[in-house]
Amino acid sequence: MGESTMVEPPLTVRVAFAHAALQHVADRHGVDVLHIKGPALDPQIVRPGRTSTDADIVVRPSHLRHFITALREAGWVQQEHFRSASSFEHSAAFRHPEWGLADVHRLIPGFTVPREQAFDRLWTDRHDATIAGRACPVPSLPAQVLIIALHAARSPGSGRADSDVEHSWGAADNDLRDEVKGLVTALGAEVPFSVVTGTLDEHRDDPQYLIWKVASRGGTRLEEWRARIKAARTPAAKTVLVLRAPLVNVDHLRMVRGRPVTWWEIVVEFFARPARGLGEWWKAQRS
Amino acid sequence: MTRHISPDVAIEWSGDQVWVALLPAGPLVGFTGSGALIWSLLEEGGDTDLVTRTAVEAGVEPSVVEADVTEFLRQCTDLGLLTRG
């Protein structure tokens, strides 16, 4: 009677506990985090059968360094650097032996207002959702709809992302849509949101246009870097990107190989990347 | 002194099964059947009269469940899931 089971918990359960564990760390260290996607979503915008494989959270930018230190102390291991995650350098994966994967966001791709200001906007309208019995702050319903839409905008060809939009923005009434549009304006997300409304090409003159065109429709490595440099908001940020362009993404290489990589492999990749980039560009020109 | 579920415990019910863990490190364990029943009674009112309450729910004499309830409480206490006070 009353034996603890040795059955492996379903992934949905493990993800819920990952959210709870992340919130526990945040509470103990006075860190503001918002839980997004997965079990943090409002049930009315969840597509039937939707599952998550990791726990997604957004951390107040000014608390990020402190939170990462606290996560490491709590047994979480960082799997990649923020700059390796995507063109938007928005998140980093962490793994815990008991809770699995977490995707820790330092920003939501698509918001162009300063990061702290964007977080404040989401934080002001937050409410608590109960996940694994713990109170976890989540963004308002309109903000959840917007976050789903912006994620879909950079997920070309993803039937799941399209279906998520259909069950959130697509199913929203006029009042909810007006609130979402208000947030789009407040957070400077007009260009990525136009991907969802099918009006991206109306923003051709916007510095953000190219990066969202590549994110939503695909492009070569060269086009991606051009888009990133064009979207960078300051000359210093553009310079950093130009200098980093030839560097090897060691995190990515390690994941592809499934093991630590040697210095020699990094050197070989350093020379192979430009060649691949030119090859992709050449193919794109011919097709 | 009564025992209660620790405030650092996370709980997720999945049908008739309950998953519990002490945060932040776990482990994550699941209880089914009578274990889940006893856990639900702990959630409602701690371990006060737990043997009697379990027997009433199970429709048996307290003596039938006493040893199992005691063992269950010991396991939960060892895992840090219960605190005294």
Side-chain angles (χ1 to χ4, degrees):
Chain A
M1 180 178 187
E3 291 297 316
S4 56
T5 179
M6 297 305 288
V7 175
E8 182 70 14
L11 187 57
T12 51
V13 169
R14 206 174 279 286
V15 170
F17 277 80
H19 278 282
L22 292 165
Q23 186 57 44
H24 189 269
V25 174
D27 287 342
R28 281 203 167 172
H29 293 269
V31 173
D32 295 340
V33 303
L34 288 165
H35 299 253
I36 57 173
K37 306 182 191 172
L41 282 177
D42 189 299
Q44 76 180 78
I45 58 170
V46 176
R47 126 177 94 75
R50 190 186 203 285
T51 56
S52 294
T53 54
D54 59 7
D56 290 87
I57 58 168
V58 191
V59 183
R60 178 181 289 283
S62 56
H63 292 178
L64 185 65
R65 189 183 295 256
H66 180 44
F67 186 60
I68 288 174
T69 302
L71 280 184
R72 288 180 179 145
E73 286 170 4
W76 292 86
V77 177
Q78 190 165 354
Q79 304 284 294
E80 60 183 351
H81 293 99
F82 285 92
R83 66 171 181 268
S84 312
S86 73
S87 299
F88 302 97
E89 307 184 2
H90 65 288
S91 69
F94 285 74
R95 182 183 287 280
H96 190 281
E98 198 65 28
W99 317 125
L101 281 171
D103 200 13
V104 177
H105 293 59
R106 60 180 177 178
L107 60 97
I108 300 289
F111 295 171
T112 57
V113 299
R115 293 174 188 179
E116 194 77 11
Q117 185 184 329
F119 187 90
D120 269 334
R121 187 68 179 79
L122 300 181
W123 185 253
T124 301
D125 297 334
R126 75 190 183 280
H127 61 276
D128 283 343
T130 301
I131 306 175
R134 314 289 300 188
C136 296
V138 298
S140 66
L141 179 59
Q144 292 185 29
V145 172
L146 177 56
I147 290 167
I148 287 173
L150 297 184
H151 181 258
R154 57 185 176 85
S155 307
S158 167
R160 286 183 49 162
D162 291 345
S163 184
D164 286 342
V165 171
E166 193 181 315
H167 280 84
S168 50
W169 171 252
D173 61 25
N174 286 337
D175 288 345
L176 180 53
R177 285 190 169 204
D178 286 345
E179 289 184 84
V180 174
K181 287 175 188 170
L183 271 178
V184 167
T185 305
L187 296 164
E190 291 89 348
V191 177
F193 192 70
S194 73
V195 174
V196 174
T197 55
T199 56
L200 176 63
D201 288 336
E202 292 174 13
H203 298 269
R204 282 179 187 278
D205 297 332
D206 194 297
Q208 297 290 314
Y209 170 74
L210 200 53
I211 198 166
W212 284 99
K213 183 180 169 223
V214 172
S216 61
R217 299 171 188 169
T220 66
R221 213 168 299 230
L222 213 53
E223 286 170 332
E224 183 188 332
W225 274 100
R226 276 185 58 210
R228 290 175 73 172
I229 292 164
K230 192 163 188 184
R233 273 174 290 179
T234 63
K238 288 181 195 291
T239 305
V240 167
L241 280 169
V242 169
L243 292 174
R244 266 186 25 215
L247 300 180
V248 174
N249 184 339
V250 178
D251 292 334
H252 179 71
L253 191 59
R254 191 168 52 228
M255 275 191 278
V256 168
R257 303 271 159 95
R259 55 173 171 75
V261 290
T262 65
W263 277 107
W264 177 245
E265 286 174 303
I266 294 170
V267 170
V268 169
E269 182 67 12
F270 179 83
F271 290 104
R273 282 180 84 237
R276 272 206 304 273
L278 280 174
E280 287 173 9
W281 177 81
W282 179 251
K283 272 189 209 163
Q285 297 306 303
R286 288 172 62 89
S287 62
Chain B
M1 193 175 286
T2 58
R3 276 173 287 195
H4 294 275
I5 295 170
S6 164
D8 290 324
V9 167
I11 305 165
E12 179 84 355
W13 283 90
S14 177
D16 293 336
Q17 184 166 27
V18 62
W19 298 92
V20 299
L22 179 67
L23 300 177
L28 176 56
V29 293
F31 300 125
T32 55
S34 53
L37 169 65
I38 300 171
W39 184 268
S40 71
L41 295 172
L42 280 167
E43 283 188 12
E44 288 169 14
D47 71 346
T48 305
D49 297 327
L50 189 60
V51 171
T52 306
R53 289 157 57 212
T54 304
V56 168
E57 288 293 326
V60 298
E61 289 297 313
S63 59
V64 176
V65 299
E66 185 170 10
D68 287 337
V69 171
T70 302
E71 174 59 15
F72 183 79
L73 288 175
R74 188 192 63 75
Q75 283 183 18
C76 289
T77 304
D78 288 350
L79 288 168
L81 301 172
L82 302 178
T83 54
R84 293 181 186 276

